[in-house]
Amino acid sequence: MRNKHEFNSYKIVTMIVLLLLVTACSTANRSSIEAVSTSGADKPQVTIKVYLGTDYSDKEFYKKINEAFTAETGIHVESEMVPGAGNDMYKKIDLDLASGGTVDVIPLIQPLILDKYVNKNYLLPFNDLLKSDQYDADKRFGPYLTKYDGMIYSLPKQVSTWAIFYNKKIFDDAGVPYPPSEWTWQQYIETAKKLTDPAKGIYGSYMLDYDIYLFMLAKQHNVSAYKADGTSNYDDPLFKESLKLFGDLGDVHKIQPNWQQFKTNKLPWDGFMSGKYGMHLIGTWYTALLTNEKDYPKDWKWGVTQIPTDGKGMNNFGVTFTYAVNKNSAHPKEALEYVKFRAENSAKMEGVIPAFTDRVAQKEALKEIADASGGSVTVDELSEAFFDNNLGFIQEKNIGPAATEYSNIILSESDHYLTGQRSLDDTIRAIKDKADAAIRKELAKNE
């Protein structure tokens, strides 16, 4: 039996052991808690950079889109400001990418810029990343998705197709019925003649100096500007027929200012808003002007219908605004998440038309335009003119070797014909010869 001294010593030892065990457990638990509480803080915060033209820096919807993306993904977004807007902002972007710049996401406002950057090997192909995410871009975007030998380098955030917008007041004053939902170029010409009133300074038609006007029929027939061997296909009869059709609208039928008048008088790109033209063939982005009463007040209602055809070539044309990822991006997965987010959500948040195959989703975007039209048009009328019709869709730009130079050649050489300085046949021949030379030079440079 232990004596009193032994018992007290045993007690003290026991208490010390217990205290050590409690302290150890407490330390372990505290370390565990601290590890859990600091694991998120220790994780690096991913921030991606996106090019943004300075002219758009004050647009509230850009801020809202980026905030919504961060809230959903936890990925932060910084804008890399570049001077200018539209094509001008690519002067700085071109220099950045050529010098190995690492800005993650690149907006591409039209296919010729996408084509240039793909050919210069500036962009990251998406195929493997999309496959790992089980994201079916073909199903989602269909004909609005641009591929290069099966490779996807961008996703479209919006699409702009073409349509005929018309001034209802001019039709009403002339006692002419509004255009039908389906019609031919001949019907368009006959309608425009009835609307044209030189005494009042009114033309039935208005078109601009974009290259697409000069080869519309070829596009509607889906005739490529390139032959199978990569040379120019501008000797196809439909390119000649297209240029003649456009020239005749002003010079022969006199339903719109001819090329010489347009250039000499420097007629504006937004001239239809003056109320002096019965119809305007233009991209669906034009709804932004027609619904903008602050900058374009008007005392007339407007309508819309699909583009005319020759009854055989049944394609509409247009362009997509896409986003791509820099191949030098340090955060390619996060950058692609941003591209997907813009493709899925920009239309709804910006009030533009989504590049979806889902017609229901596209109609939802059209509702805002109809609501802002002041009773001019309905959602169904917009849908029938833009998408819900018997027309197919193809890119309006001629994509291939030396694409940008090819476009400039078409415009500069066609000018000689449209101003009466050169015959139609000689003009078509000159376009093909100069385009072939530009294509050969481009191909040789890339060998």
Side-chain angles (χ1 to χ4, degrees):
M1 187 173 180
R2 294 187 181 102
N3 59 32
K4 184 176 180 181
H5 177 74
E6 290 174 332
F7 180 79
N8 286 338
S9 298
Y10 176 78
K11 236 174 119 179
I12 291 170
V13 171
T14 302
M15 289 177 66
I16 292 172
V17 171
L18 289 172
L19 181 61
L20 289 172
L21 288 171
V22 170
T23 302
C25 289
S26 176
T27 302
N29 287 339
R30 185 168 60 252
S31 298
S32 177
I33 292 171
E34 287 175 352
V36 171
S37 64
T38 59
S39 62
D42 291 341
K43 185 178 180 180
Q45 180 69 61
V46 174
T47 298
I48 61 171
K49 291 186 176 182
V50 182
Y51 283 115
L52 180 64
T54 51
D55 282 6
Y56 297 110
S57 60
D58 61 345
K59 303 300 182 185
E60 186 66 20
F61 61 80
Y62 280 107
K63 180 181 178 182
K64 290 182 178 179
I65 287 173
N66 290 344
E67 288 176 347
F69 172 72
T70 299
E72 181 172 306
T73 65
I75 302 167
H76 285 246
V77 181
E78 288 184 3
S79 295
E80 180 74 14
M81 306 307 298
V82 289
N87 289 325
D88 287 342
M89 69 181 184
Y90 291 97
K91 295 175 182 177
K92 175 66 165 60
I93 296 175
D94 286 354
L95 293 174
D96 284 356
L97 297 179
S99 61
T102 58
V103 173
D104 301 279
V105 179
I106 309 166
L108 304 166
I109 63 173
Q110 52 110 325
L112 287 181
I113 300 170
L114 168 62
D115 183 71
K116 178 172 71 173
Y117 286 177
V118 168
N119 290 327
K120 287 183 176 292
N121 194 30
Y122 290 158
L123 306 182
L124 177 76
F126 292 165
N127 297 59
D128 290 342
L129 290 173
L130 291 175
K131 185 177 181 180
S132 66
D133 289 344
Q134 296 183 325
Y135 188 91
D136 193 338
D138 288 284
K139 182 177 180 180
R140 188 60 167 154
F141 305 109
Y144 309 124
L145 184 67
T146 301
K147 292 184 178 182
Y148 289 81
D149 295 326
M151 301 304 294
I152 301 170
Y153 292 91
S154 70
L155 297 181
K157 72 148 189 165
Q158 72 183 77
V159 61
S160 176
T161 59
W162 284 63
I164 297 292
F165 297 95
Y166 58 91
N167 184 320
K168 290 183 175 180
K169 184 176 185 300
I170 290 179
F171 273 81
D172 294 341
D173 290 347
V176 177
Y178 298 149
S181 58
E182 295 183 20
W183 56 337
T184 65
W185 281 109
Q186 187 57 44
Q187 288 175 298
Y188 177 87
I189 293 169
E190 292 171 356
T191 301
K193 285 181 178 179
K194 296 174 183 176
L195 301 175
T196 301
D197 188 342
K200 295 181 180 179
I202 293 175
Y203 282 99
S205 173
Y206 194 60
M207 297 183 191
L208 308 179
D209 57 353
Y210 302 164
D211 61 349
I212 180 61
Y213 290 106
L214 311 182
F215 48 79
M216 295 183 293
L217 289 182
K219 279 295 178 181
Q220 290 191 305
H221 283 260
N222 198 18
V223 175
S224 174
Y226 297 87
K227 296 183 185 295
D229 62 2
T231 59
S232 169
N233 193 38
Y234 233 76
D235 53 356
D236 185 287
L238 274 167
F239 286 104
K240 176 179 176 180
E241 188 178 342
S242 294
L243 182 54
K244 184 177 187 305
L245 169 67
F246 177 77
D248 286 352
L249 296 179
D251 291 323
V252 177
H253 304 301
K254 302 187 184 303
I255 59 174
Q256 66 183 28
N258 64 25
W259 187 264
Q260 184 79 46
Q261 292 168 323
F262 188 94
K263 293 291 191 179
T264 302
N265 297 326
K266 297 180 179 179
L267 297 180
W269 65 273
D270 54 357
F272 179 71
M273 301 306 298
S274 68
K276 293 294 184 180
Y277 302 95
M279 299 181 290
H280 189 23
L281 173 62
I282 196 69
T284 54
W285 55 266
Y286 210 81
T287 56
L289 282 67
L290 290 162
T291 56
N292 183 353
E293 287 295 329
K294 180 180 179 181
D295 295 326
Y296 296 100
K298 57 188 181 301
D299 61 354
W300 43 275
K301 301 290 186 183
W302 57 278
V304 63
T305 192
Q306 71 178 48
I307 63 172
T309 73
D310 64 0
K312 296 179 181 178
M314 298 297 289
N315 285 305
N316 196 354
F317 36 81
V319 294
T320 50
F321 186 141
T322 67
Y323 275 87
V325 174
N326 186 345
K327 74 170 185 179
N328 294 322
S329 168
H331 309 289
K333 291 183 179 180
E334 291 83 359
L336 179 56
E337 285 303 309
Y338 183 81
V339 170
K340 290 194 294 184
F341 186 87
R342 293 301 300 258
E344 293 289 341
N345 299 283
S346 281
K348 183 187 299 183
M349 301 182 75
E350 293 182 42
V352 295
I353 301 169
F356 297 152
T357 55
D358 184 350
R359 295 298 186 230
V360 174
Q362 287 186 322
K363 279 193 174 184
E364 289 175 356
L366 296 179
K367 186 178 185 303
E368 183 174 343
I369 298 173
D371 290 345
S373 74
S376 288
V377 293
T378 66
V379 171
D380 286 342
E381 288 169 340
L382 291 166
S383 180
E384 288 174 8
F386 298 171
F387 310 112
D388 191 14
N389 49 48
N390 294 319
L391 301 176
F393 174 84
I394 55 175
Q395 287 281 2
E396 71 181 66
K397 299 298 183 183
N398 296 316
I399 303 301
T404 300
E405 188 173 356
Y406 199 161
S407 173
N408 293 333
I409 290 169
I410 293 169
L411 285 167
S412 61
E413 295 304 316
S414 294
D415 181 84
H416 296 300
Y417 167 69
L418 295 170
T419 55
Q421 301 175 53
R422 182 190 288 158
S423 72
L424 179 60
D425 286 335
D426 287 346
T427 299
I428 296 298
R429 189 177 304 111
I431 292 174
K432 174 169 172 52
D433 290 346
K434 291 193 174 184
D436 279 340
I439 292 168
R440 286 195 297 271
K441 182 178 178 180
E442 178 78 13
L443 295 176
K445 184 172 62 176
N446 293 332
E447 287 179 354

